[in-house]
Amino acid sequence: MDLIRQIWIESGIYQISSGQIAMIAICLLLLYLGIVKKFEPLLLVTIGFGGLLSNIPGVEIATGNGLLHLAYVTGIETGAFPLIIFMGVGAMTDFGPLLANPKTLFLGAAAQFGIFATLLGALGLTELGIMDFSLREAAAIGIIGGADGPTAIYVAGQLAPHLLGAIAVAAYSYMALVPLIQPPIMRLLTTEAERKIEMVQLREVSKVERVVFPLLLLLLVALLLPSAAPLLGMLCFGNLMRECGVVDRLSDTTQNSLINIVTIFLGLAVGSKLSAEQFLDWSTLSILLLGMVAFAIGTACGLLMGKLLNKITKTPINPLIGAAGVSAVPMAARVANKVGMEANPQNILLMHAMGPNVAGVIGSAVAAGIMIMFAS
Amino acid sequence: MDLIRQIWIESGIYQISSGQIAMIAICLLLLYLGIVKKFEPLLLVTIGFGGLLSNIPGVEIATGNGLLHLAYVTGIETGAFPLIIFMGVGAMTDFGPLLANPKTLFLGAAAQFGIFATLLGALGLTELGIMDFSLREAAAIGIIGGADGPTAIYVAGQLAPHLLGAIAVAAYSYMALVPLIQPPIMRLLTTEAERKIEMVQLREVSKVERVVFPLLLLLLVALLLPSAAPLLGMLCFGNLMRECGVVDRLSDTTQNSLINIVTIFLGLAVGSKLSAEQFLDWSTLSILLLGMVAFAIGTACGLLMGKLLNKITKTPINPLIGAAGVSAVPMAARVANKVGMEANPQNILLMHAMGPNVAGVIGSAVAAGIMIMFAS
Amino acid sequence: MDLIRQIWIESGIYQISSGQIAMIAICLLLLYLGIVKKFEPLLLVTIGFGGLLSNIPGVEIATGNGLLHLAYVTGIETGAFPLIIFMGVGAMTDFGPLLANPKTLFLGAAAQFGIFATLLGALGLTELGIMDFSLREAAAIGIIGGADGPTAIYVAGQLAPHLLGAIAVAAYSYMALVPLIQPPIMRLLTTEAERKIEMVQLREVSKVERVVFPLLLLLLVALLLPSAAPLLGMLCFGNLMRECGVVDRLSDTTQNSLINIVTIFLGLAVGSKLSAEQFLDWSTLSILLLGMVAFAIGTACGLLMGKLLNKITKTPINPLIGAAGVSAVPMAARVANKVGMEANPQNILLMHAMGPNVAGVIGSAVAAGIMIMFAS
Amino acid sequence: MEIGLLNQGVTLMLVGMGTVFSFLTILVMAMSLMSSIVVKFAASGSDDDVSPEEVAAITAAIAVHRKK
Amino acid sequence: MEIGLLNQGVTLMLVGMGTVFSFLTILVMAMSLMSSIVVKFAASGSDDDVSPEEVAAITAAIAVHRKK
Amino acid sequence: MEIGLLNQGVTLMLVGMGTVFSFLTILVMAMSLMSSIVVKFAASGSDDDVSPEEVAAITAAIAVHRKK
Ligand code: NA
Ligand code: NA
Ligand code: NA
């Protein structure tokens, strides 16, 4: 009888807390968004399931020697997983459109204003006494505005690990919401005439330029902003493997097996931070709110910079591609393309939008480097 | 001359013990069974070779900083390798036949009696003074009757690491012997008429049911038996990745590169426990004997439950598929199919036997959870 | 203003040392050799980029908790990465030509004289007071003459980790230079008539011989020279997986995903040892010089043994294939083939040269075992 | 004490098989319930955000751009 | 002190955006310079060590050897 | 002492090359012996447990079951 009693005492029904029930509901929602709504499924499915596992009462899986906790300690605390993902992103990214039209980097720069505005917003909430974020926490929250998952996870892991769950969920959710968040802002800030602007076809980019680019970027980072070197360095390494043409087998593995394996364990490890104590907190609501604001501001700044560039350069620039400067590769570029085609069905902006899109990745990695330098 | 003497002193011929010679012979036998007899080659080849390496005298490979020992510490002691394998198994398993005919779960339940009967047998040998097994050891030995390699390795790693080598070897050897062990028992316990029973074709299972099933299973485990959550949780995660349809690249990698890499190191790490001191012991002989009994009892109970189910349900059930309830996926289901075709060449039971077959995996993971809860 | 000053103080331009500038130039040279000259690109590209990353001032990536340092500690210090690579090499190697003509093993043996001559050279430089190498260091340097990357990295990681960068760079650079270094020596030491010798076609090798060979080799190593067991054991394991025919999925993963993933992190980890303090030293110059000598002596000894074998055996042996005994698989065998075709365009030596070529891998692993036994 | 061990084993067997059967019985009921619910509310599924025409246009654009 | 925090934030924003723009401006210039240099010295590339005939011979040799 | 180091090197060279040659000589003999044994007892191999007809039946069954 003692044994039956022990089964009952160790059962989930007996042990479960209301917070865990709420977290299980939230994780099921994340799985729903990932599977049914196809919101960034690679991450929301793995994070959501990791969250389910870590909210099962009385089991050592997200703590101690548990698999999810080991993945967190070895992969997130050390920064290894986001860096390896960034290497994979580099191996999958075609910087050709950016090389063909380097000035789209300015669009990627402008869109990073969302990051710093959000940092300010988080500190403002603190000043108003609503929340109590430190500078490190505010910086980690701001990075959501970079619309770049691995960058957000890397920075949060360094500066505010206790907010990692909320930040990762916010970052991936909003990246998936790009097709809903961006179009109204795009229509508000541009005129019909601007949205109709057709751009000249991009020039061919030679293989040598493609190979030299990652090395050039790495050297500039090394000389000017070493704190951004881990993230951008791995991005450049992946891209060099992709473009150099002599290590295709390494590049293929990086783009497939390696990034997939790391994605699975990254997602589970992030999910292990979805505990009730840390997630069911007003800070999570603030983070979701601030993240939304960050995206909107980033989009708006990219668009305004697009309008400015269009004015001051000779070749026409459709301001819509500025919205792609927030990153969220390749979703934001597709949205720019779609809104452009609504105004002018002959207007295929996709390739032009890929330039600011990948520029946004570089831009937020630079911003991340600055955050890490000052806030840590 | 001193150097030549040193070579001689450090040579294997000088250092080797009779126990190591015996273990090398046993490992060569395992390799023979794996390669020539095709007994579970993925595991017997890797375990056998790992055993060879760890019985080379005077080399630090299965100890200290050696590769095999590192694999053991990081992968088996933490439980990570069997859990990742279970994720892979989940990604490779089609639960459709079980969803189409849920009552075959009872067959998978009945077959777990082999586990508990073996536990009792091990304790009985202790009472008789023949052996000296503790409750933890007896529980780990019993799990061999689950006919599920990763479950057995996981439980043995938690409850009785010093018996891991013998338990893993017994589990995989008997899983391979299923086509020899089961048919006589099947013919003994069923009538010709029962073996001829044809079953109605399974209904189509919708995609939604397939997606919901792993979540449903996980939630029930979480609420009722959290100690089974690591094993079943990873199984459900793998299966969700398989069925949800939005993370196919993760599912593919899980089913291929990831499970293959982990299998290699799991096998080598298990092999590193095949040391003469631990393996050449009466306990190993008892484990082999008890494991055989466990299989036979599990098979018999599955068959008897099949006969019972056939009596009390309206739709006809061929009792042979009950034998597949021991797991040993998909070998046991094939054996049920084969024996059924001998009695009735038109009788294709394979798909019907897959239901109890995968039910056996769930059943032994549940039994493992109970063992870990009580014995640790 | 303080912040801007901080950016300046933490910038690479402010912090960089002349040594780091020199190392960045050297790493760019390695990348040039790998990408443009196609010198062993899999390793030179990854090592070169790892070197770049680790010479960025003020960033913790090759130290502390940085990704490259973690890779070094977990993969090189433990010997795990070179051993896994050796497993992959085993899975990719066809020992058929060696089995068809076992006496080519003598060619692989003779070529190892380069290793020991270089060891003696390093100690000679010490005696002359030019350098100051210990026996361990000299042994690690000598292994460059084995023309086998993972063996060199394994031995250097065990005996002289501070020389690892220079030794790995030298080993891979010279392996790539085989087509330049070997032909003059080959023409010098052989007569036109010898180079024209045609060899009898190799016999068919049965599957059983292929399967038994790795086990035979492992058992001999276990009995005679256990210190070579880790390297040769993993080689044999990979080869057994390849040839046994029942674990093809493990063999495929070993030859692709697994070896590629490990190569990436091995290269980055070796690159992390390309720091200015350790690399910009006279010892590096000596290592490059001694490595070149090692290759030349190994080639010469292989050729001379080829001439001897041709004299004392009945079947004709073209001495050119002796040069392939240095390993550098499959480059050295191709060079032997090419030089042979220059003398006699009908003379296809490639398959005959593969025997000594893979024999060279075994030979240098044996030599490595002896070095580790005596020098550690 | 050894009798105690065997007793423990018998108890564990009874409780264990009881738990296995209870758990799998509940699972059978839950699965049947789930399947009947799913069959009623036949899944509506979700639509892609990108239309086929758009895909075609994008593919064409990429083809034009890269053509190398 | 909270004013101080907000002040820090404003400074960080100004310096941060300044750095992002400066860095990317320098990158734009470096890329343009690099591209113009590359276009001038059109890459000469490198040749393989193995000629097609040799590859054919090797392939034939392997085929003869293995044929199983 | 440095003379000692060089002496050690010479000894290591002699013993090392001796060992390499001895080991590989033994390997040559073992391989030749193994090959001659294998050639004599031409491998009998092993049969699959599953007959082609059964595979066909199984495949058909699966095809019928899944057809989606
Ligand atoms: Na961004
Ligand atoms: Na089972
Ligand atoms: Na060699």
Side-chain angles (χ1 to χ4, degrees), chain C:
Chain C
M1 296 310 96
D2 273 3
L3 288 189
I4 294 177
R5 197 177 140 67
Q6 191 185 343
I7 290 184
W8 169 241
I9 289 176
E10 300 206 358
S11 77
I13 297 178
Y14 182 88
Q15 291 186 78
I16 204 162
S17 67
S18 59
Q20 287 172 321
I21 294 174
M23 286 314 298
I24 287 176
I26 288 171
C27 292
L28 289 175
L29 174 68
L30 293 179
L31 290 172
Y32 173 82
L33 293 176
I35 295 172
V36 180
K37 292 294 178 190
K38 300 194 174 66
F39 278 19
E40 295 284 328
L42 298 180
L43 270 295
L44 287 194
V45 169
T46 50
I47 293 176
F49 206 94
L52 280 184
L53 285 176
S54 59
N55 281 289
I56 294 175
V59 175
E60 190 184 81
I61 191 163
T63 56
N65 255 334
L67 181 58
L68 271 56
H69 187 64
L70 290 179
Y72 181 80
V73 171
T74 55
I76 311 270
E77 276 190 0
T78 65
F81 285 173
L83 290 179
I84 296 171
I85 300 267
F86 236 58
M87 175 169 81
V89 170
M92 292 196 279
T93 298
D94 174 10
F95 283 108
L98 188 65
L99 281 159
N101 196 1
K103 62 181 174 295
T104 55
L105 272 168
F106 293 118
L107 302 172
Q112 306 317 316
F113 190 72
I115 292 179
F116 295 99
T118 309
L119 164 93
L120 218 58
L123 295 177
L125 288 181
T126 301
E127 200 196 6
L128 293 174
I130 299 172
M131 297 302 307
D132 185 25
F133 291 124
S134 70
L135 188 63
R136 292 167 71 102
E137 291 169 333
I141 295 168
I143 282 292
I144 299 173
D148 195 80
T151 302
I153 291 172
Y154 183 78
V155 173
Q158 307 281 308
L159 298 183
H162 55 291
L163 300 180
L164 179 69
I167 287 174
V169 166
Y172 284 104
S173 301
Y174 291 138
M175 279 166 65
L177 286 173
V178 152
L180 297 182
I181 297 174
Q182 289 198 322
I185 303 172
M186 294 162 93
R187 290 192 197 99
L188 186 72
L189 291 180
T190 56
T191 64
E192 176 84 15
E194 284 171 332
R195 292 199 292 278
K196 282 190 170 161
I197 294 173
E198 293 188 18
M199 294 179 66
V200 293
Q201 206 194 310
L202 293 173
R203 71 173 176 89
E204 287 276 326
V205 175
S206 70
K207 197 197 154 198
V208 178
E209 287 169 272
R210 290 172 186 273
V211 175
V212 173
F213 173 71
L215 294 169
L216 184 73
L217 175 54
L218 179 73
L219 290 180
L220 282 184
V221 169
L223 291 179
L224 301 176
L225 197 66
S227 58
L231 277 173
L232 283 175
M234 294 308 284
L235 185 81
C236 291
F237 180 50
N239 194 246
L240 182 67
M241 289 198 287
R242 169 197 177 89
E243 300 292 358
C244 73
V246 291
V247 295
D248 287 347
R249 56 179 295 162
L250 301 186
S251 172
D252 287 347
T253 294
T254 305
Q255 293 179 43
N256 292 290
S257 306
L258 181 54
I259 199 172
N260 290 343
I261 291 172
V262 173
T263 299
I264 290 170
F265 290 106
L266 175 85
L268 291 176
V270 169
S272 79
K273 301 304 270 186
L274 295 185
S275 67
E277 312 91 74
Q278 292 188 344
F279 198 86
L280 296 178
D281 190 283
W282 287 113
S283 68
T284 299
L285 266 190
S286 319
I287 288 169
L288 291 174
L289 187 79
L290 289 164
M292 175 69 88
V293 172
F295 260 69
I297 293 180
T299 302
C301 290
L303 289 165
L304 294 174
M305 177 57 81
K307 292 170 75 126
L308 180 64
L309 267 193
N310 185 39
K311 293 241 165 70
I312 65 178
T313 62
K314 284 162 294 178
T315 50
I317 288 184
N318 188 317
L320 290 177
I321 68 170
V326 294
S327 332
V329 182
M331 190 72 91
R334 285 194 199 155
V335 169
N337 185 61
K338 193 177 179 185
V339 175
M341 287 179 79
E342 282 168 15
N344 174 355
Q346 266 74 51
N347 203 4
I348 295 169
L349 291 173
L350 189 76
M351 271 302 143
H352 300 285
M354 287 307 296
N357 211 190
V358 299
V361 176
I362 298 173
S364 30
V366 170
I370 297 165
M371 296 293 201
I372 289 172
M373 191 198 303
F374 288 122
S376 65

